Amino acid sequence: NCETTRFDVDEFGRVWYPDLGRFRVVCLDTNGNEITHFGAYGNADDPVGGAEPEARFAWLIGVGVSEKYVYAGDSINRRMLRAKKTYGAESVCSIP
C-alpha cells in the first residue's frame, strides 16, 4: 500500500502542502512564493524550546485548510493537528 500526500487550496488561492523532507506545513501564494511555514521534526512529547510551542511532525500525509484552521495529518505519530490561522495585520472597515 503506497501512501500519498494531500494538499489543499484556500479561498484566496493559496496552496497549503506538507513539506515531507523538512517536516513542516508550507503555504504558497498564487505565484509560488512561500508566505509562511510551521513545524519541525519530532512528536508531541518532545521538549520544545522558546516561548511558542511548535508543531512536531514525523510523517505528514496531508494538509487541509478551512477559513479559520489548518489541519495536518501525521501518520507515524498517529494524530491530526488543528492549528488556528492568525494574521500579522488585519484591515477592517465600517459599513454605513
Side-chain angles (χ1 to χ4, degrees), residues 26-37:
V26 179
C27 177
L28 302 176
D29 67 12
T30 55
N31 288 323
N33 301 310
E34 184 176 316
I35 296 173
T36 190
H37 66 269

Side-chain angles (χ1 to χ4, degrees), residues 2-4 23 27 33 36 41 48 56 80 82 93:
C2 296
E3 287 186 6
T4 60
F23 308 98
C27 177
N33 301 310
T36 190
Y41 175 76
V48 178
R56 302 293 185 158
M80 175 71 73
R82 182 178 82 167
C93 62

Side-chain angles (χ1 to χ4, degrees), residues 42-81:
N43 61 42
D45 297 329
D46 286 342
V48 178
E52 292 291 323
E54 187 167 13
R56 302 293 185 158
F57 302 113
W59 192 256
L60 281 165
I61 57 170
V63 175
V65 293
S66 69
E67 189 174 316
K68 294 182 181 180
Y69 298 101
V70 177
Y71 300 90
D74 187 340
S75 65
I76 290 180
N77 287 331
R78 296 184 180 193
R79 67 185 179 127
M80 175 71 73
L81 174 85

